[in-house]
Amino acid sequence: MSAEIVNPRSDSATGDQDELFDPAFALHRGGKMAVQATVPVRDKDDLSLAYTPGVAKVCSAIAEQPDLVHDYTWKSQVVAVVTDGSAVLGLGDIGPEASLPVMEGKAILFKQFGGVDAVPIALDCRGVDEIVDTVVRLAPSFGGVNLEDISAPRCFEIERKLQERVDIPIFHDDQHGTAVVTLAALRNAAKLTDRALGSLRAVISGAGAAGVAIAKILVEAGIGDVTVCDSKGIVSLDRDNLNDVKRELAGYTNKAGLSGSLETAMAGADVFIGVSGGTVPEETVAKMAPGAFIFAMANPTPEIHPDVAHKYAAVVATGRSDYPNQINNVLAFPGIFAGALQVRASRITEGMKLAAAEALAAVVADELSADKVIPSPFDERVAPAVTAAVAAAARAEGVARR
């Protein structure tokens, strides 16, 4: 059955074109971004400097000293936002063309919140090696690559293979951006309730890109224990239906040795982190430890509705902007890339991600409360704090080149 195509400017029954007008289509008409020159081209002298013959001197200098590309081109200030459209948030596998509005949106968030220029690139290929080879060939033009909305488990292999082949940061935001912001919120929730991360047992519902990355960063940060659940239950080594990513995940999580369902995992748990969709029954939520933290981040419908969560939890967070404590990737990726580009980092390390989470948590400072364990995306302190922390961590870890 073919889908009905709706024209956002079509006439209504009364003939009034504006009655059915959708402002989302108005905002997107012609795209949300454009290329803008940073130098004037007003006359033949400007032209001769910006293009031929002046440009030849700069090209020759870069050919002799390749590192000069960072000083005399946009390379060190621009990120490629790359997708294949296979896992677009809330929409699924919609393909490269349909993903472009999301990638444009990501690019303008880079600029708005981090001062980083970004170019959306939607690829018409799906194979791991096809994507990797394509991005490797594009890499000379960019200072970093933000992988976006690529389905799991391919996204893990694509990121790993790319980072092995290029010496610029490769960052899959669906994984690491979510993980950084989640850790920051969890740090502050623990601080608010006078608990240590090492005393907490967390349950993650969802073993896709975000779930795996959150589990990894929580372990790196010193969480007491974390149990990850997929659609078949607890990810544990006693299961024979795990792919390579989940088998590796099972090796460093679930210290308690639990097996069975999500309900089993949540009994007595201190933290619930939802990145899967679905609905968790209230009777299951009620079995969590007193004063729990519930981060139900599925959009638009959280796994646990905030009204239910507040009955049992000391701190509640969602992925939505209309509730307090929004876990929003825009709090992380602009500053992370700005910091990495600032020092010409060759990669983004686990230490840089941990530093970003600590800096993000620290922004809240004296404003910390149950309804504010994470700052607003519009808090102007966020990007500078994350940028500085990431740059310092890159230098400390030896991946900075200036």
Side-chain angles (χ1 to χ4, degrees):
M1 182 178 67
S2 61
E4 180 183 0
I5 299 175
V6 179
N7 182 348
R9 297 303 300 268
S10 62
D11 293 353
S12 68
T14 63
D16 185 352
Q17 289 186 329
D18 293 327
E19 279 189 18
L20 295 183
F21 178 70
D22 186 329
F25 283 90
L27 184 143
H28 284 80
R29 185 174 291 279
K32 299 192 293 286
M33 56 185 294
V35 174
Q36 181 175 330
T38 60
V39 296
V41 185
R42 299 161 299 195
D43 52 36
K44 65 184 181 69
D45 291 334
D46 288 344
L47 182 61
S48 68
L49 288 174
Y51 198 50
T52 185
V55 73
K57 298 177 183 178
V58 180
C59 292
S60 297
I62 295 171
E64 292 178 8
Q65 300 181 56
D67 281 351
L68 292 178
V69 69
H70 298 283
D71 298 313
Y72 295 110
T73 73
W74 76 345
K75 180 178 173 73
S76 64
Q77 303 170 62
V78 67
V79 169
V81 181
V82 177
T83 190
D84 64 354
S86 60
V88 179
L89 181 63
L91 299 172
D93 186 351
I94 59 175
E97 287 88 353
S99 74
L100 266 177
V102 179
M103 301 310 116
E104 287 183 5
K106 196 80 172 190
I108 64 175
L109 294 180
F110 264 109
K111 189 65 172 180
Q112 174 73 24
F113 294 103
V116 174
D117 289 308
V119 177
I121 298 176
L123 301 180
D124 188 14
C125 55
R126 290 297 175 88
V128 168
D129 290 334
E130 282 184 292
I131 292 174
V132 170
D133 289 343
T134 302
V135 176
V136 167
R137 292 184 175 102
L138 292 170
S141 295
F142 299 99
V145 175
N146 185 92
L147 299 174
E148 188 76 18
D149 293 347
I150 299 173
S151 64
R154 295 179 310 127
C155 59
F156 303 109
E157 188 177 4
I158 288 168
E159 183 185 45
R160 177 181 59 79
K161 286 188 171 184
L162 274 173
Q163 194 61 83
E164 289 172 353
R165 292 182 58 182
V166 299
D167 64 349
I168 58 175
I170 307 296
F171 186 85
H172 186 213
D173 186 52
D174 301 324
Q175 292 182 59
H176 311 300
T178 306
V180 165
V181 182
T182 300
L183 174 58
L186 186 57
R187 282 191 180 282
N188 275 341
K191 180 179 179 181
L192 179 68
T193 57
D194 197 27
R195 283 184 271 183
L197 280 179
S199 70
L200 302 176
R201 181 171 73 84
V203 174
I204 299 173
S205 176
V212 171
I214 292 169
K216 186 172 185 178
I217 202 170
L218 293 186
V219 170
E220 291 279 349
I223 192 83
D225 194 10
V226 56
T227 303
V228 183
C229 299
D230 62 11
S231 60
K232 295 179 175 61
I234 295 171
V235 176
S236 59
L237 289 172
D238 61 357
R239 281 175 48 181
D240 59 6
N241 57 353
L242 301 178
N243 61 31
D244 290 343
V245 172
K246 291 181 183 179
R247 183 157 294 282
E248 180 183 2
L249 176 67
Y252 61 82
T253 60
N254 194 27
K255 294 178 185 176
L258 301 175
S259 60
S261 65
L262 173 66
E263 289 74 19
T264 299
M266 287 184 67
D270 303 292
V271 183
F272 171 82
I273 297 170
V275 283
S276 65
T279 301
V280 179
E282 183 170 349
E283 54 267 29
T284 299
V285 181
K287 294 178 182 178
M288 294 184 71
F293 309 143
I294 293 177
F295 296 176
M297 299 188 287
N299 260 319
T301 305
E303 294 89 346
I304 303 170
H305 192 279
D307 291 345
V308 174
H310 278 295
K311 293 181 184 180
Y312 307 99
V315 177
V316 176
T318 71
R320 292 175 50 150
S321 60
D322 53 347
Y323 290 103
N325 297 326
Q326 184 191 20
I327 306 295
N328 190 328
N329 290 10
V330 77
L331 289 162
F333 69 81
I336 289 174
F337 267 101
L341 294 175
Q342 185 180 97
V343 297
R344 295 182 190 165
S346 58
R347 63 193 303 114
I348 293 172
T349 65
E350 292 302 314
M352 292 161 73
K353 297 169 201 170
L354 290 170
E358 291 172 8
L360 182 55
V363 169
V364 176
D366 296 338
E367 303 163 40
L368 182 61
S369 70
D371 282 344
K372 191 170 185 179
V373 296
I374 201 75
S376 163
F378 296 98
D379 189 324
E380 295 181 354
R381 299 170 295 176
V382 168
V386 174
T387 299
V390 168
R395 291 190 178 101
E397 300 211 335
V399 296
R401 289 176 287 193
R402 75 169 178 186

